[in-house]
Coordinates of all heavy atoms in Angstrom, one line a residue:
S1 N 129.9 115.3 82.1 CA 130.5 115.1 83.5 C 129.6 114.4 84.5 O 130.1 113.8 85.5 CB 131.0 116.5 83.9 OG 130.0 117.3 84.2
V2 N 128.4 114.6 84.4 CA 127.4 113.9 85.3 C 127.5 112.4 85.3 O 127.6 111.8 86.4 CB 126.0 114.4 85.0 CG1 125.0 113.5 85.9 CG2 125.7 115.7 85.2
P3 N 127.5 111.6 84.2 CA 127.7 110.2 84.3 C 129.1 109.9 84.9 O 129.1 108.9 85.7 CB 127.8 109.8 82.8 CG 127.0 110.9 82.1 CD 127.3 112.1 82.8
F4 N 130.1 110.6 84.6 CA 131.4 110.4 85.3 C 131.3 110.5 86.8 O 131.8 109.6 87.5 CB 132.5 111.3 84.7 CG 133.8 111.1 85.2 CD1 134.5 110.0 85.0 CD2 134.3 112.0 86.1 CE1 135.8 109.9 85.5 CE2 135.6 111.9 86.7 CZ 136.3 110.8 86.3
L5 N 130.6 111.6 87.3 CA 130.4 111.8 88.7 C 129.7 110.7 89.3 O 130.0 110.3 90.5 CB 129.8 113.1 89.0 CG 130.9 114.3 88.8 CD1 130.0 115.6 89.0 CD2 132.0 114.4 89.8
V6 N 128.6 110.2 88.7 CA 127.7 109.2 89.2 C 128.5 107.9 89.3 O 128.4 107.0 90.2 CB 126.5 109.0 88.3 CG1 125.7 107.7 88.6 CG2 125.6 110.2 88.5
R7 N 129.4 107.7 88.3 CA 130.2 106.5 88.3 C 131.2 106.4 89.4 O 131.4 105.4 90.0 CB 131.0 106.4 87.0 CG 131.8 105.1 86.8 CD 131.1 103.9 86.6 NE 131.8 102.7 86.3 CZ 131.6 101.6 86.8 NH1 130.5 101.2 87.5 NH2 132.5 100.6 86.5
L8 N 131.8 107.6 89.8 CA 132.7 107.7 90.8 C 132.1 107.7 92.2 O 132.5 107.1 93.2 CB 133.5 109.0 90.7 CG 134.6 109.0 89.7 CD1 135.3 110.3 89.6 CD2 135.6 108.0 90.0
F9 N 130.8 108.4 92.2 CA 130.1 108.5 93.5 C 128.7 108.0 93.3 O 127.8 108.7 93.1 CB 130.1 109.9 94.0 CG 131.5 110.5 94.0 CD1 131.9 111.4 93.1 CD2 132.4 110.2 95.1 CE1 133.1 112.0 93.2 CE2 133.5 110.8 95.1 CZ 134.0 111.6 94.2
P10 N 128.4 106.6 93.5 CA 127.1 106.1 93.2 C 126.0 106.6 94.2 O 124.9 106.7 93.9 CB 127.2 104.7 93.3 CG 128.6 104.3 93.9 CD 129.3 105.7 93.7
A11 N 126.4 107.1 95.3 CA 125.5 107.6 96.4 C 124.9 108.9 95.8 O 123.8 109.2 96.3 CB 126.2 107.9 97.7
L12 N 125.5 109.6 94.9 CA 125.0 110.9 94.4 C 123.7 110.5 93.6 O 122.7 111.2 93.7 CB 125.9 111.5 93.5 CG 127.1 112.3 94.1 CD1 128.0 112.8 93.0 CD2 126.5 113.4 95.0
L13 N 123.7 109.4 92.9 CA 122.4 109.0 92.2 C 121.3 108.8 93.1 O 120.2 109.3 92.7 CB 122.8 107.8 91.3 CG 121.7 107.2 90.5 CD1 121.3 108.4 89.5 CD2 122.0 105.9 89.8
T14 N 121.6 108.1 94.2 CA 120.4 107.9 95.1 C 119.9 109.2 95.7 O 118.7 109.3 95.8 CB 121.0 107.0 96.3 OG1 121.6 105.9 95.8 CG2 119.9 106.7 97.3
K15 N 120.7 110.2 95.9 CA 120.4 111.5 96.5 C 119.5 112.2 95.5 O 118.5 112.8 95.8 CB 121.5 112.4 96.8 CG 122.4 111.7 98.0 CD 121.5 112.0 99.3 CE 122.4 111.6 100.5 NZ 121.6 111.5 101.7
F16 N 119.8 112.1 94.2 CA 119.2 112.9 93.2 C 117.8 112.2 92.7 O 117.0 112.7 92.4 CB 120.0 113.1 92.0 CG 121.1 114.2 92.2 CD1 122.4 113.9 92.3 CD2 120.7 115.5 92.6 CE1 123.3 114.9 92.5 CE2 121.6 116.5 92.8 CZ 122.9 116.1 92.8
V17 N 117.8 110.9 92.9 CA 116.7 110.1 92.5 C 115.5 110.3 93.6 O 114.4 110.6 93.3 CB 116.8 108.7 92.2 CG1 115.6 107.9 92.2 CG2 117.7 108.5 91.0
Y18 N 115.9 110.1 94.8 CA 114.9 110.2 95.9 C 114.8 111.6 96.6 O 113.8 111.8 97.2 CB 115.3 109.1 97.0 CG 115.2 107.7 96.5 CD1 116.3 107.0 96.3 CD2 114.0 107.2 96.0 CE1 116.3 105.6 95.9 CE2 113.9 106.0 95.6 CZ 115.1 105.1 95.5 OH 115.0 103.9 95.0
L19 N 115.7 112.4 96.4 CA 115.7 113.8 97.0 C 115.4 113.7 98.5 O 114.6 114.6 99.0 CB 114.7 114.7 96.2 CG 115.0 114.9 94.8 CD1 113.9 115.7 94.1 CD2 116.4 115.6 94.6
N20 N 115.9 112.8 99.2 CA 115.6 112.7 100.6 C 116.4 113.7 101.5 O 116.2 113.7 102.6 CB 115.9 111.2 101.2 CG 117.3 110.8 100.9 OD1 118.0 111.6 100.3 ND2 117.6 109.6 101.3
F21 N 117.1 114.5 100.9 CA 117.7 115.6 101.7 C 116.9 116.9 101.7 O 117.3 117.7 102.5 CB 119.1 115.9 101.1 CG 119.0 116.3 99.7 CD1 119.1 117.6 99.4 CD2 119.3 115.4 98.8 CE1 119.0 117.9 97.9 CE2 119.3 115.7 97.3 CZ 119.2 116.9 97.0
L22 N 115.8 116.9 100.9 CA 114.9 118.0 100.9 C 113.8 117.7 101.9 O 113.2 116.7 101.9 CB 114.4 118.3 99.5 CG 115.3 118.6 98.5 CD1 114.5 118.8 97.2 CD2 116.0 120.0 98.8
A23 N 113.4 118.7 102.7 CA 112.2 118.7 103.6 C 111.2 119.6 103.0 O 111.5 120.9 102.9 CB 112.6 119.0 105.0
F24 N 110.0 119.2 102.8 CA 109.0 120.1 102.3 C 107.8 119.8 103.2 O 107.4 118.8 103.5 CB 108.6 119.7 100.9 CG 107.6 120.7 100.3 CD1 108.0 122.0 99.9 CD2 106.2 120.4 100.3 CE1 107.1 122.8 99.3 CE2 105.3 121.3 99.7 CZ 105.8 122.5 99.3
P25 N 107.2 120.9 103.7 CA 107.4 122.3 103.5 C 108.6 122.7 104.1 O 109.0 122.2 105.2 CB 106.2 122.9 104.1 CG 105.5 121.9 105.0 CD 106.0 120.6 104.5
F26 N 109.3 123.7 103.5 CA 110.5 124.2 104.1 C 110.5 124.8 105.5 O 109.5 125.4 105.8 CB 111.1 125.2 103.0 CG 111.3 124.6 101.6 CD1 110.5 125.2 100.6 CD2 112.2 123.7 101.4 CE1 110.7 124.5 99.3 CE2 112.3 123.1 100.1 CZ 111.5 123.6 99.1
F27 N 111.5 124.6 106.1 CA 111.7 125.3 107.5 C 110.7 124.8 108.5 O 110.2 125.4 109.3 CB 111.6 126.8 107.4 CG 112.6 127.4 106.4 CD1 112.0 128.0 105.3 CD2 113.9 127.3 106.6 CE1 113.0 128.5 104.4 CE2 114.8 127.8 105.7 CZ 114.3 128.5 104.6
T28 N 110.3 123.5 108.4 CA 109.4 122.9 109.4 C 110.2 121.7 110.1 O 110.9 121.1 109.4 CB 108.1 122.3 108.8 OG1 108.4 121.5 107.8 CG2 107.2 123.5 108.2
D29 N 109.9 121.4 111.2 CA 110.5 120.4 111.9 C 109.5 119.2 112.0 O 108.6 119.2 112.8 CB 110.9 120.8 113.4 CG 111.6 119.7 114.1 OD1 112.0 118.6 113.6 OD2 112.0 119.9 115.3
L30 N 109.7 118.3 111.1 CA 108.8 117.1 111.0 C 108.9 116.1 112.1 O 108.0 115.2 112.2 CB 109.0 116.5 109.6 CG 108.6 117.4 108.5 CD1 109.0 116.6 107.2 CD2 107.2 117.9 108.4
R31 N 109.9 116.4 113.0 CA 109.9 115.5 114.1 C 108.9 115.9 115.2 O 108.7 115.3 116.3 CB 111.3 115.5 114.7 CG 112.4 114.8 113.8 CD 113.8 115.1 114.3 NE 113.9 116.5 114.0 CZ 115.1 117.1 114.3 NH1 116.1 116.5 114.9 NH2 115.3 118.5 114.3
Q32 N 108.3 117.0 115.0 CA 107.3 117.6 115.9 C 106.0 117.8 115.2 O 105.6 119.0 114.9 CB 107.8 118.9 116.6 CG 109.0 118.6 117.5 CD 109.5 120.0 118.1 OE1 109.2 121.0 117.7 NE2 110.1 119.9 119.3
P33 N 105.2 116.8 114.8 CA 104.1 116.9 114.1 C 103.0 117.6 114.9 O 102.1 118.2 114.2 CB 103.6 115.6 113.7 CG 104.3 114.7 114.8 CD 105.5 115.3 115.1
E34 N 103.0 117.6 116.1 CA 101.9 118.2 116.9 C 102.0 119.8 116.6 O 100.8 120.4 116.9 CB 102.1 118.0 118.3 CG 103.4 118.6 119.0 CD 104.6 117.5 118.9 OE1 104.5 116.5 118.3 OE2 105.7 117.9 119.4
L35 N 102.9 120.3 116.1 CA 102.9 121.7 115.7 C 102.2 122.0 114.4 O 101.8 123.1 114.1 CB 104.4 122.3 115.7 CG 105.3 122.2 116.8 CD1 106.6 122.6 116.6 CD2 104.6 122.9 118.0
L36 N 102.1 120.9 113.6 CA 101.4 121.1 112.3 C 100.0 120.4 112.3 O 99.1 120.8 111.6 CB 102.3 120.4 111.2 CG 103.7 121.0 111.0 CD1 104.5 120.1 110.1 CD2 103.7 122.4 110.5
L37 N 99.9 119.3 112.9 CA 98.8 118.4 112.8 C 98.1 118.2 114.2 O 98.9 117.9 115.1 CB 99.1 117.1 112.1 CG 99.8 117.2 110.8 CD1 100.2 115.7 110.4 CD2 98.7 117.6 109.8
N38 N 96.8 118.3 114.4 CA 96.1 117.9 115.5 C 96.2 116.4 115.9 O 96.1 115.6 115.0 CB 94.7 118.4 115.5 CG 94.6 119.9 115.5 OD1 95.4 120.5 115.9 ND2 93.6 120.4 114.8
N39 N 96.2 116.1 117.1 CA 96.2 114.8 117.5 C 97.3 113.8 117.0 O 97.0 112.7 116.7 CB 94.8 114.3 117.3 CG 93.7 115.0 117.7 OD1 93.8 115.9 118.7 ND2 92.7 115.2 116.9
T40 N 98.5 114.3 116.8 CA 99.6 113.5 116.2 C 100.8 113.7 117.0 O 101.1 114.8 117.5 CB 99.8 114.1 114.8 OG1 98.6 114.0 114.0 CG2 100.8 113.3 114.0
I41 N 101.5 112.5 117.1 CA 102.9 112.5 117.8 C 103.8 111.8 116.9 O 103.4 111.0 116.0 CB 102.8 112.0 119.2 CG1 102.4 110.5 119.2 CG2 101.9 112.9 120.1 CD1 102.8 109.7 120.6
S42 N 105.0 111.9 117.1 CA 106.1 111.2 116.4 C 106.6 110.0 117.3 O 107.0 110.2 118.5 CB 107.2 112.3 116.0 OG 108.1 111.6 115.2
L43 N 106.7 108.9 116.7 CA 107.2 107.7 117.4 C 108.3 107.1 116.5 O 108.4 107.3 115.3 CB 106.1 106.7 117.6 CG 104.9 107.1 118.3 CD1 103.8 106.0 118.3 CD2 105.2 107.3 119.8
Y44 N 109.1 106.2 117.1 CA 110.2 105.6 116.3 C 110.2 104.1 116.5 O 110.0 103.6 117.8 CB 111.5 106.2 116.7 CG 111.6 107.7 116.4 CD1 111.3 108.6 117.2 CD2 112.1 108.0 115.1 CE1 111.3 110.0 117.0 CE2 112.0 109.4 114.7 CZ 111.8 110.4 115.7 OH 111.8 111.7 115.4
L45 N 110.4 103.3 115.5 CA 110.3 101.9 115.7 C 111.8 101.5 115.2 O 112.2 101.9 114.2 CB 109.4 101.3 114.7 CG 107.9 101.7 114.9 CD1 107.0 101.1 113.8 CD2 107.4 101.1 116.2
T46 N 112.3 100.5 115.9 CA 113.5 99.9 115.6 C 113.3 98.6 114.8 O 112.8 97.6 115.5 CB 114.4 99.6 116.7 OG1 114.6 100.9 117.5 CG2 115.8 99.0 116.4
T47 N 113.5 98.5 113.6 CA 113.2 97.4 112.7 C 114.1 96.3 112.8 O 113.9 95.2 112.7 CB 112.9 97.8 111.3 OG1 114.1 98.4 110.8 CG2 111.8 98.8 111.2
E48 N 115.4 96.7 112.9 CA 116.6 95.8 113.0 C 117.7 96.6 113.7 O 117.7 97.8 113.7 CB 116.9 95.1 111.6 CG 117.3 96.2 110.6 CD 117.6 95.5 109.3 OE1 116.6 94.9 108.7 OE2 118.8 95.6 108.8
P49 N 118.8 95.9 114.1 CA 119.8 96.7 114.7 C 120.4 97.8 113.8 O 120.7 97.5 112.6 CB 120.8 95.6 115.1 CG 120.1 94.4 115.2 CD 119.0 94.5 114.2
G50 N 120.4 99.0 114.2 CA 121.0 100.1 113.4 C 120.0 100.7 112.5 O 120.2 101.7 111.7
V51 N 118.7 100.3 112.4 CA 117.7 100.8 111.5 C 116.5 101.3 112.4 O 115.9 100.4 113.0 CB 117.2 99.7 110.4 CG1 116.2 100.4 109.6 CG2 118.5 99.4 109.7
T52 N 116.3 102.5 112.2 CA 115.1 103.2 113.1 C 114.2 103.8 112.1 O 114.7 104.7 111.2 CB 115.6 104.1 114.1 OG1 116.5 103.5 115.0 CG2 114.4 104.6 114.9
V53 N 112.9 103.6 112.1 CA 111.9 104.2 111.2 C 111.1 105.1 112.0 O 110.5 104.7 113.1 CB 111.1 103.0 110.6 CG1 110.0 103.7 109.7 CG2 112.0 102.1 109.8
G54 N 111.0 106.3 111.6 CA 110.1 107.3 112.2 C 108.7 107.2 111.7 O 108.4 106.9 110.5
I55 N 107.7 107.2 112.6 CA 106.3 107.2 112.2 C 105.5 108.3 113.0 O 106.0 108.9 114.0 CB 105.7 105.8 112.6 CG1 105.6 105.6 114.1 CG2 106.3 104.7 111.8 CD1 104.8 104.5 114.6
W56 N 104.5 108.6 112.4 CA 103.5 109.5 113.1 C 102.2 108.6 113.4 O 101.8 107.8 112.7 CB 103.0 110.6 112.1 CG 103.9 111.8 111.9 CD1 105.2 111.9 112.5 CD2 103.8 112.8 110.9 NE1 105.7 113.1 112.0 CE2 105.0 113.7 111.1 CE3 102.8 113.2 110.1 CZ2 105.1 114.8 110.4 CZ3 103.0 114.3 109.3 CH2 104.1 115.1 109.5
H57 N 101.8 109.0 114.6 CA 100.6 108.3 115.1 C 99.5 109.4 115.2 O 99.6 110.4 116.0 CB 100.7 107.5 116.5 CG 99.5 107.0 116.9 ND1 99.2 106.8 118.2 CD2 98.4 106.4 116.3 CE1 98.1 106.2 118.5 NE2 97.6 106.0 117.4
T58 N 98.5 109.3 114.4 CA 97.4 110.3 114.4 C 96.1 109.5 114.9 O 95.7 108.6 114.3 CB 97.1 110.9 113.0 OG1 98.3 111.5 112.7 CG2 96.1 112.0 113.0
V59 N 95.5 110.1 115.9 CA 94.1 109.5 116.3 C 93.0 110.2 115.5 O 93.2 111.3 115.1 CB 93.9 109.6 117.9 CG1 95.0 108.9 118.6 CG2 93.9 111.0 118.3
P60 N 92.0 109.4 115.4 CA 90.9 110.0 114.5 C 90.3 111.2 115.3 O 90.4 111.4 116.5 CB 89.9 108.9 114.4 CG 90.2 107.8 115.5 CD 91.7 108.1 115.8
G61 N 89.6 112.0 114.4 CA 89.0 113.2 115.0 C 88.0 113.0 116.1 O 87.8 113.8 117.0
S62 N 87.3 111.9 116.1 CA 86.4 111.5 117.1 C 87.0 111.4 118.5 O 86.4 111.5 119.6 CB 85.6 110.3 116.8 OG 86.5 109.1 116.7
R63 N 88.3 111.0 118.6 CA 89.0 111.0 119.8 C 89.9 112.2 120.0 O 90.8 112.1 120.9 CB 89.9 109.7 119.8 CG 89.0 108.5 119.8 CD 89.9 107.2 119.9 NE 90.3 107.1 121.3 CZ 91.2 106.2 121.8 NH1 91.6 105.3 120.9 NH2 91.6 106.1 123.0
G64 N 89.8 113.3 119.3 CA 90.5 114.4 119.4 C 90.6 115.0 120.7 O 91.5 115.5 121.3
A65 N 89.4 115.2 121.2 CA 89.2 115.9 122.5 C 89.9 115.1 123.7 O 90.5 115.6 124.5 CB 87.7 116.2 122.9
E66 N 89.8 113.8 123.5 CA 90.4 113.0 124.5 C 91.9 113.0 124.4 O 92.6 112.8 125.3 CB 89.9 111.5 124.2 CG 90.4 110.4 125.2 CD 89.9 109.0 124.8 OE1 89.1 108.9 123.8 OE2 90.3 108.2 125.5
A67 N 92.4 113.1 123.2 CA 93.9 113.1 123.0 C 94.6 114.4 123.3 O 95.8 114.4 123.6 CB 94.1 112.7 121.5
R68 N 93.9 115.5 123.3 CA 94.5 116.7 123.6 C 95.2 116.8 124.9 O 94.8 116.5 125.9 CB 93.4 117.9 123.6 CG 93.9 119.3 123.5 CD 92.8 120.2 123.2 NE 92.3 120.0 121.8 CZ 91.1 119.7 121.5 NH1 90.1 119.7 122.5 NH2 90.7 119.6 120.3
G69 N 96.5 117.2 124.8 CA 97.4 117.3 125.9 C 97.9 116.0 126.5 O 98.6 116.0 127.6
K70 N 97.7 114.9 125.8 CA 98.2 113.6 126.3 C 99.7 113.4 125.9 O 100.1 114.0 125.0 CB 97.3 112.4 125.7 CG 95.9 112.5 126.1 CD 95.7 112.4 127.7 CE 94.2 112.3 127.8 NZ 93.9 112.3 129.2
D71 N 100.4 112.5 126.6 CA 101.7 112.2 126.4 C 101.8 111.0 125.5 O 100.9 110.4 125.0 CB 102.5 112.1 127.6 CG 102.0 110.8 128.5 OD1 101.0 110.3 128.1 OD2 102.7 110.6 129.5
Q72 N 103.2 110.6 125.2 CA 103.4 109.5 124.3 C 102.7 108.2 124.8 O 102.3 107.3 124.1 CB 104.9 109.3 124.1 CG 105.3 108.2 123.2 CD 106.7 108.1 122.9 OE1 107.4 109.1 123.0 NE2 107.2 106.9 122.6
R73 N 102.8 107.9 126.2 CA 102.3 106.7 126.7 C 100.8 106.6 126.4 O 100.3 105.5 126.0 CB 102.4 106.8 128.2 CG 102.0 105.5 128.9 CD 102.4 105.6 130.3 NE 101.7 104.5 131.0 CZ 101.0 104.6 132.1 NH1 101.0 105.7 132.7 NH2 100.5 103.6 132.6
W74 N 100.0 107.6 126.3 CA 98.6 107.5 126.0 C 98.4 107.1 124.5 O 97.6 106.3 124.2 CB 97.9 108.9 126.2 CG 96.5 108.8 126.0 CD1 95.4 108.6 126.8 CD2 95.8 109.0 124.7 NE1 94.2 108.6 126.3 CE2 94.4 108.8 124.9 CE3 96.2 109.4 123.4 CZ2 93.4 109.0 123.8 CZ3 95.3 109.5 122.5 CH2 94.0 109.4 122.7
Y75 N 99.2 107.7 123.7 CA 99.1 107.3 122.2 C 99.5 105.9 122.1 O 98.9 105.2 121.2 CB 100.0 108.2 121.4 CG 99.4 109.5 121.2 CD1 99.6 110.5 122.0 CD2 98.7 109.9 120.0 CE1 99.0 111.9 121.8 CE2 98.0 111.0 119.7 CZ 98.2 112.1 120.6 OH 97.7 113.3 120.3
E76 N 100.5 105.3 122.8 CA 100.9 103.9 122.5 C 99.8 103.0 123.1 O 99.5 101.9 122.5 CB 102.2 103.7 123.3 CG 103.4 104.4 122.7 CD 104.7 104.3 123.5 OE1 104.5 103.8 124.7 OE2 105.7 104.7 123.0
E77 N 99.1 103.5 124.2 CA 98.0 102.6 124.8 C 96.8 102.7 123.7 O 96.0 101.7 123.6 CB 97.6 103.1 126.1 CG 98.6 102.8 127.1 CD 98.2 103.4 128.5 OE1 97.3 104.2 128.5 OE2 99.0 103.1 129.5
A78 N 96.7 103.7 123.0 CA 95.6 103.8 122.0 C 95.8 102.9 120.8 O 94.8 102.5 120.3 CB 95.5 105.3 121.5
L79 N 97.1 102.7 120.6 CA 97.3 101.6 119.5 C 96.9 100.2 119.9 O 96.6 99.4 119.1 CB 98.8 101.7 119.1 CG 99.3 102.8 118.3 CD1 100.8 102.7 118.2 CD2 98.7 102.8 116.9
A80 N 96.8 100.0 121.2 CA 96.6 98.6 121.7 C 95.1 98.3 121.9 O 94.8 97.2 122.1 CB 97.3 98.4 123.1
D81 N 94.2 99.3 121.6 CA 92.8 99.1 121.8 C 92.2 98.4 120.6 O 93.0 97.9 119.8 CB 92.0 100.4 122.1 CG 92.0 101.3 121.0 OD1 92.5 101.0 119.9 OD2 91.7 102.5 121.2
A82 N 91.0 98.1 120.6 CA 90.3 97.1 119.6 C 90.0 97.9 118.2 O 89.6 97.3 117.3 CB 89.1 96.6 120.1
H83 N 90.4 99.2 118.2 CA 90.1 99.9 117.0 C 91.1 99.5 115.8 O 92.2 99.2 116.2 CB 90.2 101.4 117.2 CG 89.1 101.9 118.0 ND1 89.2 102.0 119.4 CD2 87.9 102.4 117.8 CE1 88.1 102.5 120.0 NE2 87.2 102.6 119.1
P84 N 90.7 99.5 114.6 CA 91.6 99.2 113.5 C 92.7 100.3 113.3 O 92.6 101.4 113.6 CB 90.7 99.2 112.3 CG 89.5 99.9 112.6 CD 89.4 99.8 114.1
V85 N 93.8 99.9 112.9 CA 94.9 100.8 112.5 C 95.2 100.7 111.0 O 95.2 99.8 110.3 CB 96.2 100.3 113.3 CG1 97.4 101.1 112.9 CG2 96.0 100.2 114.7
I86 N 95.3 102.0 110.5 CA 95.5 102.1 109.0 C 97.0 102.6 108.9 O 97.4 103.7 109.6 CB 94.6 103.3 108.5 CG1 93.2 102.8 108.6 CG2 94.9 103.5 107.0 CD1 92.1 103.8 108.2
I87 N 97.7 102.0 108.1 CA 99.1 102.2 107.9 C 99.2 102.9 106.4 O 98.7 102.2 105.5 CB 100.0 101.0 107.9 CG1 99.9 100.4 109.3 CG2 101.4 101.3 107.5 CD1 100.7 99.2 109.4
Y88 N 99.7 104.2 106.4 CA 99.8 104.8 105.2 C 101.3 105.0 104.8 O 101.9 105.5 105.5 CB 99.1 106.3 105.2 CG 99.4 107.1 104.1 CD1 98.8 106.9 102.9 CD2 100.2 108.2 104.2 CE1 99.0 107.6 101.8 CE2 100.5 109.0 103.1 CZ 99.9 108.7 101.9 OH 100.1 109.5 100.8
L89 N 101.6 104.4 103.7 CA 103.0 104.4 103.1 C 103.1 105.5 102.1 O 102.5 105.4 101.0 CB 103.4 103.0 102.7 CG 103.2 101.9 103.6 CD1 103.6 100.6 102.9 CD2 104.2 102.1 104.8
H90 N 103.7 106.6 102.4 CA 103.7 107.8 101.7 C 104.6 107.8 100.3 O 104.4 108.7 99.5 CB 104.0 109.0 102.5 CG 105.3 108.9 103.1 ND1 106.5 109.3 102.5 CD2 105.7 108.5 104.3 CE1 107.5 109.1 103.2 NE2 107.1 108.6 104.4
G91 N 105.5 106.9 100.3 CA 106.4 107.0 99.0 C 107.9 106.9 99.4 O 108.2 106.5 100.5
N92 N 108.7 107.3 98.6 CA 110.1 107.2 98.7 C 110.8 108.4 99.2 O 112.0 108.4 99.3 CB 110.7 106.7 97.4 CG 110.5 107.8 96.3 OD1 110.0 108.8 96.5 ND2 111.0 107.4 95.1
G93 N 110.1 109.4 99.5 CA 110.8 110.6 100.1 C 111.4 110.4 101.4 O 110.9 109.5 102.1
G94 N 112.3 111.2 101.9 CA 113.0 110.9 103.1 C 112.3 111.6 104.3 O 112.6 111.5 105.4
T95 N 111.2 112.3 104.0 CA 110.4 112.9 105.2 C 109.1 112.3 105.3 O 108.6 111.6 104.3 CB 110.3 114.4 104.9 OG1 109.5 114.6 103.7 CG2 111.6 115.2 104.7
R96 N 108.5 112.6 106.3 CA 107.0 112.1 106.6 C 106.1 113.1 106.1 O 105.0 113.1 106.4 CB 106.8 111.7 108.0 CG 107.6 110.4 108.3 CD 107.6 110.2 109.8 NE 108.7 110.6 110.4 CZ 109.0 110.8 111.7 NH1 108.0 110.6 112.5 NH2 110.1 111.2 112.2

């Protein structure tokens, strides 16, 4: 019956392959990384109309004391300085 269901509803296959409906660790709000990780905020990029990608911006530990208590504007300005930016692509899961 599984092949029949996949044939009728191809979106089911995508859900089972990528499991993007699961959030791990369970019962955490990944939209608020500052509750889990130090010196981290959640930002969103609009890549094209109707497509928004969520990202986390984490400053290095050497700037941790400086970042403590800062707002989103400070993190955005930190991206514009001369320091290198490392982009980590975590895989195909639906969560960060």
Side-chain angles (χ1 to χ4, degrees):
S1 66
V2 172
F4 180 71
L5 288 173
V6 169
R7 181 74 174 141
L8 284 178
F9 307 104
L12 285 178
L13 181 62
T14 304
K15 293 287 185 191
F16 286 115
V17 169
Y18 296 113
L19 298 176
N20 59 357
F21 56 90
L22 294 178
F24 186 82
F26 302 113
F27 307 113
T28 57
D29 185 4
L30 298 174
R31 293 170 293 180
Q32 296 180 334
E34 61 275 4
L35 301 176
L36 301 169
L37 303 169
N38 293 329
N39 315 322
T40 303
I41 65 163
S42 188
L43 300 172
Y44 296 92
L45 301 175
T46 302
T47 58
E48 59 185 60
V51 177
T52 302
V53 177
I55 63 168
W56 282 354
H57 178 211
T58 303
V59 296
S62 61
R63 294 186 73 184
E66 183 185 354
R68 194 166 292 121
K70 301 294 185 187
D71 61 355
Q72 180 176 338
R73 184 171 168 232
W74 183 89
Y75 281 86
E76 290 173 354
E77 288 173 359
L79 284 172
D81 64 12
H83 293 90
V85 174
I86 298 171
I87 299 175
Y88 172 70
L89 304 173
H90 59 81
N92 61 1
T95 62
R96 289 175 261 167

